[in-house]
Amino acid sequence: MDRKIRVLVAKLGLDAHDRGAKVIARAYRDAGFEVIYTGLYQRPEQVAEAAIQEDVDVVAISSLAGAHNTLIPELIRHLREQGADDVLVLAGGVIPEDDIPFLKEQGVAGIFGPGSDLDEIIEFTRQNVRRV
Amino acid sequence: MAEKHDGPGGAGRDTGEWAERKLRFAGVSDREVKRVYRPEDIAGLDYARDLGDPGEYPFTRGVYPTMYRGRLWTMRQFAGFGTAEETNARFKYLLQTGQTGLSIAFDMPTLLGYDSDHPFANGEVGKLGVAIDSLRDFEILMDGIPLDKVSTSMTINPPASIMLAMYLVVAEQQGVGWDQVSGTIQNDILKDYIAQKTYIYPPEPSVRLIVDTIEFCTRHVPKWNTISISGYHIREAGATAAQELAFTLADGMYYVEAAMARGLDVDEFAPRLSFFFDVHNDFFEEIAKFRAARRLWARIMREKYGAKNPRSWMLRTHAQTAGVSLTAQQPENNIVRVAIQALAAVLGGTQSLHTNSYDEALALPTEEAVRIALRTQQIIAEETGVANTIDPLAGSYYVESLTNQLEEEAQAYFRKIEALGGVVKAIEKGFFQREIADSAYRFQRRLKSGDYVVVGVNKYADPNEKVRTKILKINPEVQRRQIERVREVRARRDPARAQKALAELRKASQSSENLMPYILECVRAYCTEGEIAGVWREVWGEWREEAIY
């Protein structure tokens, strides 16, 4: 049976710029995904826990405050420690080009900078999500 | 919907030889624009009643009689990163480059009342601004900067009273009287619930802190602007120009009422209220927004609140070019965007201006990018001649009609907010948040469809573009050094004095006393920002919003 793809859209740390997170959450919803948005001020361990409890296929992190190199790898570590290593992790926002190789190495599957096309992000998610 | 065709120059749509490029013309806010504007579009406009000369009620043409012929706007670039030492060096560089006011950007932990060694601060220390944990950091930040000569703006909200207290104690150390210092604290918590989201406590105690600073400064720091009622973040979060205008002035009215409820006379504090607006790409809409804001505020203050001092009627504003309009693609194009937005702010009659750096969609600005941004303002001021006469667009059919339109749209929002039970009730119901999220999403869809063009992104994009802009990196050492310093401050201070100051602050926070004197004592005792804000976290609790998208 076809199940809708479940996406957790999350803001990590103290970064309160949530415009991008809300736009992408809505774009996923309009595209037929099931969307959970964490709201602000989430610790990496809280997001990992929510991802596992909600049994999501995708965790999409929106980051504008420059803490991505610290917080995203921590989130991935928590996901792996709890056995959720097949969750697709995506990141978007203001992430300097130089940081992309490091984040990919850490397990971020796709990184979408400012001005990214919403449909492209959705298509990428469909293509790369784990198959149930 | 087709309009009536009424010949060349009319608002209709020709076909054939005079076919138009598009069916519908609209700018950033998606407001439909007519082919041409005519006298009938501003029928009923009365010069004395609706415009008035610059410096005259209702100040549509500007708050001062001479405006930039008397003094140019303040070029106030926002800066701050890393440690207090690094930011102090950047401040000195900016002052040397010809900047006339300082503007402090704090990092996220400071904005949210956490010390640098709090686990939540990990990875964010010194990233989006300077890290301030205690008076020690503030002493370093302002070292060698004469506080009686420079005015300083501080962009901070829930802990604004703490930063103000630190500033005042540093002034004391420099031998500068509180009546000598000037500047602004943003101190606008309502827009945080609405858009910026750097809130800590629930609305009621948060507004009380703000009224405390208004009351305290009215009595002791007469040149300080106690609040900068901010539309900037509302706009950046996705609002249209009309929403920005309406929500900001609605917040302003709420603060006025709160201060009056405290027993302050409106004319005692209103002259020290200031505003902060965004300037986006839609040139004329932005100019009209500033003009409408001044006229609305003047009428509200005089007619609704009975203010008698003309200074209470004046809406003075800082402006910043739209960060959200900047693109990571072809970043050099941002220099042009910023220049045009800055020109709109100047033609709109702003009192102070920050121009964004072209690399901001990529990371924090480099020194080179900051310099170009400041030079942009200087070129507008010194080379273009636009500062030679005041409000040169007055009387333009289009600009006056837009000014009227924005004013009417704002008034419609005021009625809606009132019907919802006021600003705080509307926040609790998610009204603003939903309006803004809707606008942001609609805009994103217009970008996608190409209905709104962003050069270099959805048109004229370069598929082979490689981003090669130099970007500023924050040294990871900053966090370690900052943690060391805050621990040292805690170890070295007089522990009894610090504990006593915090205990007294706690007691006062449970009462309705003005908290400023207690905060000042905490600051003098080198209590940290996290400790002071922590007292309030315990007493008042934290605010959590329902996530609306």
Side-chain angles (χ1 to χ4, degrees):
Chain A
M1 200 179 71
D2 246 7
R3 181 183 89 126
K4 281 188 176 178
I5 299 171
R6 289 169 71 82
V7 185
L8 182 77
V9 175
K11 288 290 297 178
L12 283 173
L14 304 181
D15 168 18
H17 301 85
D18 60 356
R19 177 180 181 156
K22 288 176 163 185
V23 166
I24 191 69
R26 194 141 155 189
Y28 274 129
R29 194 177 65 191
D30 286 1
F33 292 57
E34 265 183 52
V35 181
I36 301 131
Y37 170 46
T38 61
L40 295 169
Y41 307 131
Q42 300 297 307
R43 309 306 311 154
E45 59 274 23
Q46 288 176 305
V47 173
E49 199 179 306
I52 288 157
Q53 264 178 14
E54 299 281 354
D55 190 24
V56 299
D57 309 292
V58 184
V59 175
I61 304 296
S62 169
S63 168
L64 270 93
H68 47 269
N69 281 355
T70 310
L71 298 175
I72 296 178
E74 234 181 275
L75 162 74
I76 293 175
R77 186 169 56 79
H78 283 291
L79 283 171
R80 284 191 182 137
E81 277 173 10
Q82 295 175 64
D85 37 13
D86 54 348
V87 171
L88 185 74
V89 178
L90 305 176
V94 178
I95 295 175
E97 201 72 19
D98 293 4
D99 294 343
I100 290 178
F102 169 75
L103 289 173
K104 289 220 159 140
E105 229 169 78
Q106 297 292 308
V108 180
I111 295 165
F112 302 92
S116 292
D117 184 332
L118 293 177
D119 295 340
E120 224 170 80
I121 300 174
I122 287 162
E123 194 44 39
F124 182 93
T125 310
R126 283 214 174 93
Q127 297 287 323
N128 290 278
V129 75
R130 67 178 171 188
R131 289 289 157 218
V132 191
Chain B
M1 240 180 310
E3 286 172 54
K4 187 168 73 76
H5 174 95
D6 56 359
R13 292 189 187 92
D14 287 293
T15 50
E17 191 186 356
W18 299 110
E20 295 186 345
R21 284 183 288 117
K22 299 192 276 191
L23 275 174
R24 181 174 177 275
F25 287 78
V28 180
S29 292
D30 206 21
R31 170 196 312 286
E32 182 152 5
V33 180
K34 297 205 259 184
R35 184 191 300 174
V36 74
Y37 287 77
R38 293 163 146 177
E40 59 264 31
D41 290 298
I42 53 168
L45 189 86
D46 179 304
Y47 185 83
R49 184 193 63 206
D50 301 321
L51 302 183
D53 281 345
E56 279 175 21
Y57 184 86
F59 305 104
T60 313
R61 304 200 62 189
V63 282
Y64 304 124
T66 53
M67 288 295 288
Y68 308 140
R69 289 169 67 101
R71 208 177 60 128
L72 289 169
W73 63 92
T74 304
M75 299 179 191
R76 197 188 293 279
Q77 297 293 96
F78 187 46
F81 58 92
T83 60
E85 286 88 348
E86 288 165 292
T87 303
N88 176 268
R90 174 70 69 97
F91 283 170
K92 286 179 175 159
Y93 169 81
L94 288 168
L95 290 170
Q96 209 186 346
T97 321
Q99 188 171 308
T100 47
L102 296 177
S103 178
I104 308 175
F106 298 96
D107 69 0
M108 291 306 298
T110 307
L111 292 177
L112 288 164
Y114 293 114
D115 288 337
S116 297
D117 61 345
H118 192 285
F120 286 7
N122 185 24
E124 319 218 29
V125 176
K127 281 275 166 65
L128 280 197
V130 61
I132 298 291
D133 294 316
S134 72
L135 179 62
R136 184 72 205 112
D137 295 317
F138 227 102
E139 291 162 356
I140 296 165
L141 185 68
M142 290 294 148
D143 181 50
I145 297 171
L147 298 197
D148 53 343
K149 301 224 162 52
V150 167
S151 80
T152 305
S153 166
M154 296 190 254
T155 302
I156 192 157
N157 297 288
S161 53
I162 307 173
M163 293 302 131
L164 172 65
M166 288 186 187
Y167 197 85
L168 294 176
V169 174
V170 171
E172 279 172 3
Q173 292 175 348
Q174 288 188 3
V176 173
W178 288 355
D179 56 343
Q180 299 283 299
V181 300
S182 64
T184 308
I185 35 175
Q186 192 166 81
N187 211 17
D188 172 7
I189 199 65
L190 294 172
K191 67 96 177 54
D192 270 299
Y193 301 116
I194 292 174
Q196 199 186 13
K197 311 300 170 69
T198 52
Y199 43 68
I200 305 177
Y201 321 109
E204 208 180 300
S206 297
V207 171
R208 175 244 180 125
L209 269 181
I210 290 165
V211 179
D212 282 358
T213 56
I214 293 176
E215 187 180 41
F216 184 83
C217 290
T218 298
R219 311 257 141 88
H220 306 286
V221 199
K223 282 158 74 179
W224 198 269
N225 294 318
T226 46
I227 184 165
S228 165
I229 305 155
S230 303
Y232 187 81
H233 318 88
I234 292 174
R235 187 68 182 279
E236 291 284 300
T240 61
Q243 288 169 339
E244 176 194 4
L245 174 66
F247 299 172
T248 308
L249 296 196
D251 289 350
M253 288 188 261
Y254 188 89
Y255 294 123
V256 168
E257 288 169 23
M260 287 171 80
R262 177 70 66 93
L264 292 170
D265 180 82
V266 63
D267 284 317
E268 269 188 290
F269 66 86
R272 302 254 64 87
L273 301 175
S274 66
F275 286 80
F276 175 22
F277 288 105
D278 203 319
V279 214
H280 214 300
N281 283 332
D282 196 335
F283 193 68
F284 293 108
E285 185 181 64
E286 292 305 316
I287 294 165
K289 182 180 76 188
F290 286 94
R291 302 174 84 248
R294 280 194 296 270
R295 184 161 75 200
L296 271 162
W297 191 247
R299 288 179 172 160
I300 290 166
M301 292 309 289
R302 188 156 109 167
E303 288 162 22
K304 186 169 173 157
Y305 299 119
K308 291 185 182 64
N309 181 353
R311 301 194 77 84
S312 305
W313 306 334
M314 293 177 188
L315 180 146
R316 295 163 305 120
T317 189
H318 171 66
Q320 180 173 337
T321 59
V324 76
S325 74
L326 304 186
T327 63
Q329 295 84 348
Q330 305 180 19
E332 296 84 354
N333 297 347
N334 294 330
I335 298 173
V336 182
R337 291 190 180 98
V338 168
I340 292 167
Q341 293 164 7
L343 183 61
V346 169
L347 292 175
T350 192
Q351 276 58 66
S352 124
L353 178 61
H354 167 106
T355 31
N356 287 61
S357 300
Y358 70 90
D359 53 359
E360 282 179 27
L362 303 163
L364 285 181
T366 58
E367 209 160 89
E368 183 216 16
V370 170
R371 190 178 60 240
I372 294 173
L374 178 60
R375 293 287 181 248
T376 303
Q377 295 201 41
Q378 291 163 335
I379 289 167
I380 291 172
E382 311 279 357
E383 297 186 14
T384 65
V386 298
N388 291 344
T389 190
I390 306 167
D391 191 30
L393 295 171
S396 145
Y397 302 125
Y398 182 39
V399 170
E400 296 301 355
S401 132
L402 260 179
T403 305
N404 291 344
Q405 225 178 320
L406 281 160
E407 183 171 6
E408 281 157 28
E409 287 169 34
Q411 281 164 335
Y413 267 119
F414 297 158
R415 288 190 292 272
K416 224 180 258 182
I417 295 162
E418 182 117 35
L420 287 165
V423 169
V424 168
K425 280 277 170 316
I427 287 168
E428 285 166 0
K429 290 175 181 158
F431 169 72
F432 300 107
Q433 299 91 315
R434 201 168 295 115
E435 287 278 313
I436 294 169
D438 285 349
S439 297
Y441 191 62
R442 252 196 325 271
F443 182 75
Q444 208 62 39
R445 283 291 160 203
R446 287 180 70 211
L447 278 186
K448 173 67 193 158
S449 71
D451 177 47
Y452 185 78
V453 170
V454 179
V455 170
V457 176
N458 66 355
K459 202 170 181 180
Y460 315 112
D462 175 1
N464 300 317
E465 183 185 359
K466 275 208 68 73
V467 179
R468 63 193 181 296
T469 309
K470 264 197 326 201
I471 62 166
L472 180 83
K473 285 274 179 193
I474 301 297
N475 188 340
E477 275 293 283
V478 164
Q479 180 164 322
R480 195 187 53 73
R481 272 188 282 144
Q482 197 59 29
I483 290 175
E484 254 171 40
R485 186 184 295 153
V486 66
R487 291 191 171 151
E488 203 180 287
V489 164
R490 285 199 209 100
R492 278 204 185 164
R493 68 190 177 191
D494 172 353
R497 185 180 177 189
Q499 286 318 313
K500 182 162 173 276
L502 287 170
E504 279 171 4
L505 174 70
R506 178 186 307 268
K507 223 173 92 200
S509 304
Q510 288 155 338
S511 79
S512 59
E513 258 185 284
N514 191 308
L515 295 179
M516 275 309 292
Y518 298 94
I519 303 167
L520 280 158
E521 174 51 23
C522 287
V523 164
R524 290 193 185 102
Y526 289 90
C527 297
T528 65
E529 190 217 16
E531 289 169 330
I532 299 170
V535 164
W536 296 330
R537 280 192 154 91
E538 283 171 36
V539 176
W540 298 329
E542 294 190 24
W543 173 257
R544 281 287 170 262
E545 69 163 10
E546 192 201 335
I548 295 160
Y549 61 90

